[in-house]
Amino acid sequence: LNGRYYLYHSPLPALIAYLPYRALFGAYPADKYAALFFALWAFLSAVIFARGTGMWVLFLGLGGLVPFLLADVRTYEIAILAGSAMTSTWAISLLRFLGSPSRSRAVWMGVWLALVIAARPNLIVLLLIAILVLRRHWKLAIWTLLPLIITAASMLAYNMARFHDPFEFGETYQLTGVQMSGHMVCGIRNVPELIRFGSNFVHYVFWPISLVPEFPFVQPHYSRLDP
């Protein structure tokens, strides 16, 4: 658009993975290596969260969708894995705060939660967990809220500079196989869309993956919605 290529995710993956690599080596890494970096980050953080328990490590290695994502890396997978890395690290900060609540741990919990949302705005649902954790520590809640406010303001300013709309996070600019011009990105305006919402919910929550003999050995069920 206007001579620019817009990615649908925030600049966080570029700030964490691509720009440091360019500063060190004078070039950008291949996307698959950026994805692998975030996948390793997420896995190692999850192992720390699981406290090294053997069965949990086995589950984390074999029970996730990381091999499926790494099999075909594009910009979408990088954003997803960046969100996974931030989420795993936030989980560690959450666990440490629960073990010994303090101002510094409240700040770090807010920092990592802010980065989770910056990587994948839909993960703002994790804010509900933070609220439940902080309900008994309201005096420390402001220290968690501060990084969230700073990051939110930065994201809105970035969106405004990039798309001239503070609430446009890039979904409108996704490259899709279906022409989306003039259509809502998401909405429930009639009965068929309500049914589609229910069907999507079932796909995301209740459909187990299938095991297959080819790499990556797990296959999610793709949506089977009406045309």
Side-chain angles (χ1 to χ4, degrees):
L1 178 67
N2 299 327
R4 296 186 178 184
Y5 176 52
Y6 290 101
L7 300 179
Y8 89 110
H9 57 69
S10 78
L12 190 66
L15 292 174
I16 293 177
Y18 289 85
L19 292 184
Y21 188 95
R22 180 173 176 81
L24 289 173
F25 303 107
Y28 291 111
D31 289 340
K32 60 183 178 181
Y33 296 126
L36 181 61
F37 168 73
F38 286 121
L40 288 173
W41 180 339
F43 176 74
L44 293 175
S45 297
V47 170
I48 294 172
F49 180 78
R51 298 180 178 178
T53 305
M55 186 57 69
W56 275 106
V57 172
L58 183 65
F59 173 79
L60 290 169
L62 300 179
L65 290 178
V66 170
F68 171 77
L69 294 173
L70 291 179
D72 184 19
V73 173
R74 300 159 298 174
T75 181
Y76 307 98
E77 287 73 22
I78 293 169
I80 293 169
L81 290 168
S84 299
M86 300 304 110
T87 301
S88 295
T89 312
W90 168 74
I92 295 173
S93 69
L94 184 73
L95 193 65
R96 289 177 175 171
F97 178 84
L98 287 171
S100 179
S102 67
R103 180 183 298 179
S104 62
R105 291 186 174 185
V107 170
W108 279 113
M109 187 167 62
V111 167
W112 290 113
L113 181 57
L115 294 180
V116 168
I117 299 170
R120 301 288 286 172
N122 58 298
L123 292 177
I124 195 173
V125 295
L126 296 178
L127 186 60
L128 297 175
I129 298 176
I131 292 173
L132 289 175
V133 169
L134 289 166
R135 72 185 189 281
R136 296 181 181 178
H137 307 282
W138 289 116
K139 292 182 179 180
L140 296 174
I142 184 64
W143 298 103
T144 297
L145 189 61
L146 192 60
L148 288 167
I149 293 174
I150 294 172
T151 303
S154 301
M155 284 295 300
L156 294 177
Y158 175 82
N159 291 343
M160 188 65 190
R162 188 184 193 192
F163 301 116
H164 306 293
D165 181 353
F167 299 104
E168 171 58 66
F169 287 91
E171 289 86 350
T172 306
Y173 295 86
Q174 289 190 72
L175 299 178
T176 65
V178 179
Q179 177 57 257
M180 295 299 295
S181 299
H183 295 282
M184 290 182 63
V185 175
C186 182
I188 302 176
R189 296 156 295 179
N190 48 50
V191 173
E193 289 182 350
L194 179 62
I195 294 173
R196 181 176 290 115
F197 175 81
S199 178
N200 264 325
F201 181 80
V202 170
H203 279 78
Y204 273 109
V205 179
F206 296 110
W207 269 29
I209 60 175
S210 296
L211 300 179
V212 294
E214 300 87 14
F215 182 85
F217 312 113
V218 291
Q219 180 67 53
H221 294 281
Y222 290 97
S223 56
R224 298 175 183 173
L225 305 177
D226 62 273

